[in-house]
Amino acid sequence: TAKEFKGKDSIKLDIVVAADEVYIIRTGIETNFAKTFLLSASQVYDFSKPLIIAVTSGDENTVFCRLYDAVTKVRIRREWNPNADWASIISEIQSRLTGISSSVPLTQEQPTHPQDLRIKQIRTLLDYPLDLVKEYLQFQDVDRPSLLPTNKIDSLVKTMCLAWAADKFDNPNDAQASYQKYVVEAVANSADELPAIRAWMQQVAKAKAGVT
């Protein structure tokens, strides 16, 4: 809503609160109260749950809004940003209130796919260049390992392992045989892959150093 204040249009923000009755909190859109309310409310994804709206005083005649989860009493907050896109924030909050939000709360983020996690952990263990993994995926026309068939993922794991072993064997065939024995066969016999690779790396390192 808009009203004239000191010769200027003063746009108001109406906060409609459903409690024992319906209440409307009206405040100027440019006030710190409105801005702190909007920033906090932008972090709420389920407005069917009860909230507590509180007022805290600032300097002189300034007041700020604080929002709390009514059940846990935990404050809902977002970093202060006086230059935020208020129109977009209001639109997003309104869409959530009507159940058509385009945003997905971070708490509902999909977990990492097991195959993506598998490649990440093995790549990290082997210190294999991330760029080479990306090149392999691009060559397969995918952007993440979980979109590959299992045999292609197994091939990527083998490639990473043999790249690590390349300078530790005089004959590449020996490296492949070692990988087959200590990793592939171990996994086939129900061993966990990551510990099997780690044990293989230790065995190869000892052999390279001449330790028995």
Side-chain angles (χ1 to χ4, degrees):
T1 59
K3 286 189 176 181
E4 189 172 287
F5 178 71
K6 293 184 178 180
K8 298 180 180 179
D9 284 340
S10 177
I11 300 176
K12 301 295 184 181
L13 174 70
D14 286 348
I15 304 170
V16 181
V17 180
D20 56 331
E21 295 183 18
V22 175
Y23 299 89
I24 297 178
I25 302 172
R26 177 166 292 178
T27 180
I29 193 68
E30 293 295 332
T31 63
N32 285 323
F33 179 87
K35 292 178 179 179
T36 47
F37 168 79
L38 290 171
L39 288 172
S40 297
S42 70
Q43 302 302 295
V44 178
Y45 294 92
D46 185 357
F47 283 95
S48 67
K49 296 180 179 180
L51 299 169
I52 296 174
I53 299 176
V55 177
T56 181
S57 61
D59 296 334
E60 298 181 353
N61 296 324
T62 302
V63 293
F64 298 91
C65 175
R66 288 188 177 179
L67 207 58
Y68 297 86
D69 183 306
V71 176
T72 64
K73 303 301 188 292
V74 173
R75 183 180 171 188
I76 301 168
R77 60 196 306 169
R78 176 175 166 180
E79 184 178 355
W80 170 246
N81 179 9
N83 300 313
D85 186 346
W86 305 112
S88 295
I89 291 176
I90 292 172
S91 177
E92 179 63 25
I93 292 172
Q94 288 175 330
S95 68
R96 291 177 193 168
L97 286 167
T98 56
I100 56 172
S101 174
S102 60
S103 295
V104 177
L106 295 177
T107 53
Q108 294 183 4
E109 184 177 343
Q110 293 297 316
T112 303
H113 191 283
Q115 294 289 22
D116 294 334
L117 183 60
R118 174 192 179 193
I119 294 300
K120 179 181 179 180
Q121 290 177 331
I122 294 173
R123 184 193 69 77
T124 301
L125 176 63
L126 297 166
D127 195 24
Y128 189 79
L130 178 59
D131 288 344
L132 294 182
V133 173
K134 290 181 177 179
E135 285 182 12
Y136 180 87
L137 295 176
Q138 289 173 356
F139 185 75
Q140 302 294 331
D141 293 325
V142 297
D143 61 0
R144 56 186 181 276
S146 56
L147 297 178
L148 291 170
T150 302
N151 67 314
K152 292 292 185 181
I153 300 176
D154 292 343
S155 177
L156 176 56
V157 170
K158 180 179 180 179
T159 297
M160 292 192 293
C161 287
L162 293 183
W164 174 85
D167 62 347
K168 299 170 180 65
F169 290 87
D170 295 330
N171 189 329
N173 291 332
D174 292 339
Q176 292 198 40
S178 176
Y179 172 76
Q180 180 70 27
K181 177 181 178 180
Y182 290 100
V183 178
V184 177
E185 292 182 8
V187 172
N189 290 320
S190 302
D192 290 335
E193 185 177 45
L194 196 64
I197 292 175
R198 186 179 291 110
W200 170 67
M201 293 171 68
Q202 293 171 349
Q203 191 276 334
V204 170
K206 288 180 180 179
K208 178 70 173 177
V211 178
T212 58

